């Protein structure tokens, strides 16, 4: 298991766990980051990542990406 920030661009990964405070987890789950779901890193700019999750493209900060374990 490793944080989403360690994923290679273009690689499809399965979400194992979403960490952080309850509020943070709920926010990420509302965006589609749920355990068992798939996520693909599209690009990374200054540590912030753009990902494809549930047929949507979402930009999240490095701090948020570190809470998503793949």
């Amino acid at each position: 298991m490793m944080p989403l920030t360690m994923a290679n661009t273009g690689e499809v990964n399965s979400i194992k766990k979403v960490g952080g405070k309850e509020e943070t987890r709920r926010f990420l789950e509302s965006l589609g980051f749920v355990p068992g779901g798939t996520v693909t890193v599209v690009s990374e700019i200054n540590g912030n990542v753009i990902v494809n999750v549930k047929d949507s493209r979402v930009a999240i900060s490095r701090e948020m990406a570190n809470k998503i374990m793949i």
Side-chain angles (χ1 to χ4, degrees), residues 27 31 33 48-51 57-61 64:
F27 173 71
L31 291 175
F33 295 97
N48 299 324
V49 290
I50 299 173
V51 297
R57 195 167 276 197
V58 181
I60 56 173
S61 69
M64 290 282 192

Side-chain angles (χ1 to χ4, degrees), residues 6 9 11 17 23 29 34 37 40 42-43 47 49 59-60 62 65:
M6 305 280 290
T9 305
E11 193 176 81
K17 186 179 113 178
E23 181 183 326
E29 284 174 6
V34 291
T40 309
V42 177
S43 68
V49 290
I60 56 173
R62 162 173 255 153

Side-chain angles (χ1 to χ4, degrees), residues 1-16 33 37-44 49-53 69-70:
M1 218 164 40
M2 63 182 182
L4 185 58
T5 50
M6 305 280 290
N8 296 324
T9 305
E11 193 176 81
V12 178
N13 294 289
S14 178
I15 300 169
K16 304 275 191 276
F33 295 97
T38 58
V39 62
T40 309
V41 175
V42 177
S43 68
E44 185 178 346
V49 290
I50 299 173
V51 297
N52 274 339
V53 61
M69 302 305 269
I70 54 172

